[in-house]
Amino acid sequence: MKPDRLCESWIWSLILVLWFSAALVLPLGLRAEETYTFDFSETEKKPYHFSGYLEARPVHFRADTDSALYKLRFYNRDEGNTLQEFNSKLQLEGSYEKDIIRLYFKTNTDYKHSYLGGDEQSTFYEAYGSIQPSYSFKIDAGKRNFKWGKGYAWNPAGFIDRPKDPEEPEIGVEGYIALSADYIRSFSGPLKTISFMPVLLPVSKHINESFGKRDYLNPAGKIYFLFFDTDIDLIFLAGGSKTTRWGADFSRNITTNWEIHGEFGWIKDYQRTFIDRFGKSDTDEYNAFSYLIGMRYLTARDTTFIFEYYHNDTGFMEDELRDYFDFINDGYQVYLDTGNVEALQTAAVLTEKNYGGNNPMRDYLYLRIIQKEPFDILYFNPAVTTILNLHDRSFTLAPEIVYTRITNLELRLKTSIIVGSDDTEYGEKPNDYRLELRAGYYF
Amino acid sequence: MWNAIVLFVVLIFAVPADALDGTDLLKQIDRNLNPESFEMYRKLINIEPDGRKKEFTLFSVKKGLDKIAALFLEPASEKGRSTLRLGDNMWLYIPAVGKPIRITSLQSVIGGVFNNSDILQLDYAAEYDVVNVDDSGSEYLLFLKAKTRTVAYDQLKIRADKNQKLPTEIECLTEAGMLIKTLYFKQVKDFGGGIVRPSYVETDSPLYKGYKSVMIFGKIKKRDFRDEVFTLTFMPNIDSLR
């Protein structure tokens, strides 16, 4: 066994021991506490607050050595059939309030130790100041998230947010620097609330560079209505960094245990770049209309179903993705025959810029089933999630168990099984399955 | 014949008279429990059969019959989460998720025996009609029926102290009469401002054998709010009300 592997095995063992120790030993200490009291000092408000989140997440992969993306990533390495990776995360959050002014920040530091060695990345996810002269009006300036759209796994109308990972949609992402305001009015009658959020989002060499073309000030906005017990948002993005976009979403409860939601985003003159199997690049331009429809349903047995159908009009067609995989496979064969890596390097760039995003094709189904506290085991919530590519029928299936019995400690064990034939989105992923353990502590 | 007609007329008018008394009584119980608009600090404790517990501290604000919001202050894993209820509509805001999502009254954002409608309780008279009132010496027994099918419990049986007009026990039942949970109201306390009410509510459920949950009321104070406080847009800012 290589020294690195030995080290990773030790890390795995240590994490497992800590996980089970936390689950079994710590609660014994808590059993001594019996009295039910309310210490009012807990409710005292201070002008500042500071909190954080620390996470350890070891991951074990079973590689699919015949897949296109495995060949692309490991063509010149021999890492064997299994891979281990250790991830950790530290998030710090703080705020200071005085009168109508509030300052807030949230940092994120990710550390990954994988076959490539150690890698650490730190950034501010959010850092902004707010002025709230009244309950109905607020101005924010700085880096923040907007999270527009009602979709759970995808947001075709999330025009000024970074895309989220549909396999982990509740994990925070980095925001953009912007100036925004919130104005709220409430009424009696069927129209209960209107709120308007105008946004100005600048893009220059040092500000929001990844958003789009530089040297533009992009106006965006969202108008929200609560009308006949239905949440409705109308959304737009204008300006030069990206083409004009319009969107809308809705959400409402049909019954006490059944919610439905929908969302669409229309993008004017969307430009899409793709390659043929020989690597020749082509671009087409069209108005893209992406949409999503979904529901959340709770049964009498406390089982929650979250279901969504997503049409991604900016995505690739089945034959286009097949050409991309063929280009990688051909490039790999050229590398084996001649040692020439040019095609594989081109494919790596294309993967990063075009094809490597989450769910790059057109039509998907998402289903998540969560069983709350089965067998009367409090704070124990098993779930299973699947994302199905409707074009090539490949999918991922991810069962998990979450345990939150210990205050501020969340333990999750999750497996992701990937199923798909050759030339399909999931079938060409670099691994067959992965097993991960996540221990997160809030402080 | 005339006797039958007289009896029929008496019965017609007798039923609404009883119902009216019951409705008034229920409204008095509501007002004795809370002012119509208020701010409140509560602690919720889930207790397991072996005595282990998990605690949550909440700051809540309510206005009128159908607007209530709550903000989690403790523990750190829940801090900053807020819930909002406008009539039958409920939302949960999780800071990491960054936007409010609709939730249902039967779910529980904290786990345990209390569900969302227990945590975001509106006036009983806003959600229930009084079907019958029994006068049994030192207490009243009120039988309530949900006004709509969107209410979390179809039926309630409220035992109320006759002198104080405060509940001592509430049974929550399904439409078929199956017991979902029982709430026990204890330790009447003077919170100031004329608010005298039980400060300790305990609940158990045949669906969670051996488990119980406790709600301890710390501070309750009359306070009026603007309607804009009870909106999705304001959910991330509820802490600014403290």
Side-chain angles (χ1 to χ4, degrees):
Chain A
M1 187 179 278
K2 293 177 183 176
D4 271 5
R5 290 281 167 79
L6 194 62
C7 173
E8 283 157 6
S9 298
W10 272 104
I11 290 169
W12 261 94
S13 306
L14 182 65
I15 292 296
L16 281 168
V17 169
L18 286 175
W19 198 84
F20 287 109
S21 300
L24 298 172
V25 178
L26 279 180
L28 292 173
L30 297 175
R31 286 176 198 174
E33 299 174 45
E34 292 276 330
T35 52
Y36 311 134
T37 56
F38 192 172
D39 178 4
F40 293 115
S41 66
E42 290 172 21
T43 65
E44 187 186 331
K45 190 180 180 186
K46 298 185 176 102
Y48 55 86
H49 113 267
F50 187 76
S51 60
Y53 173 70
L54 183 63
E55 177 185 290
R57 188 169 57 89
V59 188
H60 174 85
F61 296 94
R62 171 78 187 183
D64 178 1
T65 53
D66 293 327
S67 71
L69 293 179
Y70 181 90
K71 291 172 189 167
L72 181 65
R73 193 178 294 177
F74 298 103
Y75 64 89
N76 57 353
R77 306 179 69 96
D78 177 17
E79 295 295 335
N81 288 330
T82 59
L83 293 160
Q84 280 82 37
E85 181 179 291
F86 178 77
N87 300 275
S88 63
K89 181 188 283 289
L90 173 66
Q91 292 184 334
L92 300 173
E93 191 181 17
S95 68
Y96 178 77
E97 278 182 65
K98 187 163 176 61
D99 302 325
I100 61 168
I101 295 171
R102 179 173 183 257
L103 303 172
Y104 172 82
F105 74 86
K106 182 178 182 180
T107 68
N108 184 77
T109 300
D110 286 317
Y111 175 78
K112 177 191 278 192
H113 184 85
S114 67
Y115 64 94
L116 292 170
D119 178 45
E120 179 261 321
Q121 289 191 345
S122 295
T123 188
F124 277 95
Y125 267 12
E126 295 186 280
Y128 61 87
S130 303
I131 300 174
Q132 188 169 11
S134 77
Y135 291 142
S136 55
F137 184 61
K138 186 164 78 102
I139 297 173
D140 296 317
K143 192 174 188 179
R144 57 163 293 190
N145 278 303
F146 292 93
K147 303 286 181 76
W148 290 352
K150 293 282 187 265
Y152 181 76
W154 301 279
N155 289 116
F159 299 141
I160 54 172
D161 290 302
R162 290 173 209 267
K164 58 188 178 187
D165 179 357
E167 291 183 30
E168 300 283 357
E170 296 192 357
I171 285 185
V173 293
E174 188 181 352
Y176 285 114
I177 294 170
L179 175 68
S180 63
D182 267 318
Y183 178 69
I184 319 167
R185 284 294 307 271
S186 286
F187 309 94
S188 52
L191 177 63
K192 288 194 172 69
T193 310
I194 289 183
S195 74
F196 176 52
M197 179 192 274
V199 180
L200 285 174
L201 193 146
V203 178
S204 68
K205 189 175 180 183
H206 301 294
I207 299 173
N208 300 330
E209 198 180 357
S210 62
F211 183 80
K213 290 180 195 164
R214 284 185 202 166
D215 302 324
Y216 285 99
L217 185 62
N218 301 279
K222 184 181 79 158
I223 303 171
Y224 163 77
F225 307 91
L226 177 56
F227 187 53
F228 281 109
D229 290 336
T230 306
D231 296 318
I232 300 165
D233 290 302
L234 304 178
I235 295 165
F236 75 91
L237 168 67
S241 295
K242 289 183 175 176
T243 55
T244 301
R245 281 133 213 251
W246 293 92
D249 65 41
F250 78 93
S251 170
R252 74 166 285 138
N253 282 100
I254 302 294
T255 61
T256 52
N257 59 340
W258 184 21
E259 177 265 359
I260 58 166
H261 57 267
E263 178 176 338
F264 79 82
W266 180 84
I267 304 175
K268 183 177 166 59
D269 299 334
Y270 181 76
Q271 285 193 337
R272 196 172 58 106
T273 302
F274 53 96
I275 55 165
D276 63 16
R277 72 168 296 166
F278 307 106
K280 184 172 170 292
S281 172
D282 200 357
T283 299
D284 59 3
E285 186 178 298
Y286 57 97
N287 297 331
F289 182 75
S290 300
Y291 55 90
L292 172 146
I293 188 91
M295 56 164 261
R296 183 186 292 248
Y297 184 77
L298 176 72
T299 69
R301 291 180 177 271
D302 266 339
T303 309
T304 299
F305 292 83
I306 301 171
F307 172 79
E308 286 184 347
Y309 163 71
Y310 174 46
H311 172 72
N312 173 22
D313 212 27
T314 62
F316 297 103
M317 310 297 263
E318 198 173 347
D319 54 340
E320 290 166 351
L321 204 71
R322 193 180 303 125
D323 283 345
Y324 159 70
F325 291 136
D326 287 344
F327 177 62
I328 294 172
N329 285 323
D330 291 349
Y332 182 67
Q333 195 56 49
V334 169
Y335 167 75
L336 291 179
D337 294 343
T338 68
N340 187 335
V341 296
E342 193 180 332
L344 287 172
Q345 285 175 345
T346 304
V349 173
L350 281 165
T351 302
E352 192 179 331
K353 284 188 172 174
N354 296 60
Y355 292 87
N358 295 313
N359 304 130
M361 285 178 70
R362 293 241 162 174
D363 292 283
Y364 293 92
L365 287 183
Y366 176 94
L367 175 64
R368 180 168 167 80
I369 305 169
I370 310 149
Q371 178 59 54
K372 183 193 163 219
E373 298 167 352
F375 317 114
D376 289 348
I377 307 171
L378 221 55
Y379 316 119
F380 174 73
N381 296 295
V384 62
T385 306
T386 183
I387 300 174
L388 168 68
N389 181 324
L390 287 172
H391 286 281
D392 63 21
R393 310 285 175 187
S394 66
F395 62 96
T396 173
L397 184 70
E400 66 180 63
I401 48 173
V402 176
Y403 188 64
T404 55
R405 183 181 213 164
I406 302 153
T407 301
N408 295 328
L409 183 66
E410 182 182 288
L411 302 170
R412 187 185 76 171
L413 187 63
K414 181 177 178 179
T415 306
S416 296
I417 302 156
I418 287 167
V419 182
S421 54
D422 290 349
D423 291 334
T424 62
E425 178 187 345
Y426 287 102
E428 297 294 355
K429 295 272 186 195
N431 44 281
D432 282 331
Y433 71 83
R434 71 178 192 180
L435 174 67
E436 71 170 47
L437 219 159
R438 187 175 76 186
Y441 182 71
Y442 297 85
F443 58 94
Chain B
M1 174 68 183
W2 277 108
N3 284 346
I5 291 170
V6 168
L7 182 63
F8 181 70
V9 170
V10 166
L11 279 175
I12 282 176
F13 286 97
V15 172
D18 257 350
L20 187 66
D21 289 343
T23 304
D24 281 348
L25 177 60
L26 186 62
K27 285 180 177 171
Q28 282 182 55
I29 289 170
D30 278 328
R31 280 300 65 77
N32 290 342
L33 278 174
N34 296 310
E36 198 167 277
S37 295
F38 63 85
E39 67 168 40
M40 172 169 72
Y41 287 92
R42 283 178 290 175
K43 174 167 273 190
L44 272 61
I45 309 171
N46 289 335
I47 303 143
E48 295 173 57
D50 61 5
R52 285 190 276 196
K53 59 181 185 171
K54 195 167 181 183
E55 301 185 351
F56 306 84
T57 307
L58 283 92
F59 169 69
S60 306
V61 293
K62 180 175 175 280
K63 179 174 183 175
L65 295 177
D66 68 343
K67 299 181 183 71
I68 185 165
L71 170 74
F72 284 82
L73 305 177
E74 294 284 345
S77 57
E78 315 294 320
K79 192 179 172 78
R81 289 185 179 214
S82 58
T83 50
L84 170 67
R85 181 172 183 185
L86 294 177
D88 297 331
N89 302 286
M90 284 190 197
W91 298 267
L92 168 68
Y93 172 80
I94 302 172
V97 176
K99 62 183 173 189
I101 53 167
R102 277 185 177 256
I103 54 174
T104 64
S105 54
L106 290 171
Q107 280 179 299
S108 175
V109 292
I110 60 165
V113 188
F114 284 124
N115 64 27
N116 295 337
S117 76
D118 298 321
I119 297 166
L120 298 173
Q121 178 66 54
L122 301 175
D123 284 4
Y124 290 110
E127 295 191 285
Y128 292 92
D129 290 321
V130 180
V131 177
N132 194 20
V133 180
D134 280 352
D135 185 339
S136 60
S138 62
E139 62 181 15
Y140 293 114
L141 183 56
L142 292 84
F143 295 87
L144 311 188
K145 172 81 176 165
K147 288 181 176 175
T148 66
R149 295 182 68 85
T150 58
V151 178
Y153 312 114
D154 186 70
Q155 300 173 50
L156 295 182
K157 280 187 201 173
I158 300 182
R159 283 186 192 282
D161 181 90
K162 213 170 190 176
N163 294 327
Q164 296 178 303
K165 292 196 175 61
L166 284 169
T168 55
E169 187 181 304
I170 299 179
E171 288 183 9
C172 308
L173 305 125
T174 64
E175 192 173 7
M178 189 183 88
L179 181 66
I180 301 174
K181 69 178 68 160
T182 309
L183 303 164
Y184 305 93
F185 292 73
K186 300 174 180 177
Q187 299 177 20
V188 174
K189 178 181 164 183
D190 188 345
F191 288 89
I195 304 167
V196 180
R197 59 152 291 159
S199 63
Y200 193 95
V201 179
E202 197 175 290
T203 182
D204 56 29
S205 167
L207 306 177
Y208 289 86
K209 286 198 175 73
Y211 292 90
K212 64 177 180 179
S213 291
V214 167
M215 201 183 286
I216 305 173
F217 293 77
K219 301 173 189 170
I220 308 176
K221 194 169 81 176
K222 278 183 192 172
R223 186 175 165 189
D224 202 15
F225 298 95
R226 289 191 56 166
D227 286 346
E228 281 74 16
V229 164
F230 301 91
T231 58
L232 264 65
T233 314
F234 197 81
M235 285 182 82
N237 307 321
I238 292 175
D239 197 44
S240 67
L241 300 170
R242 299 208 297 135

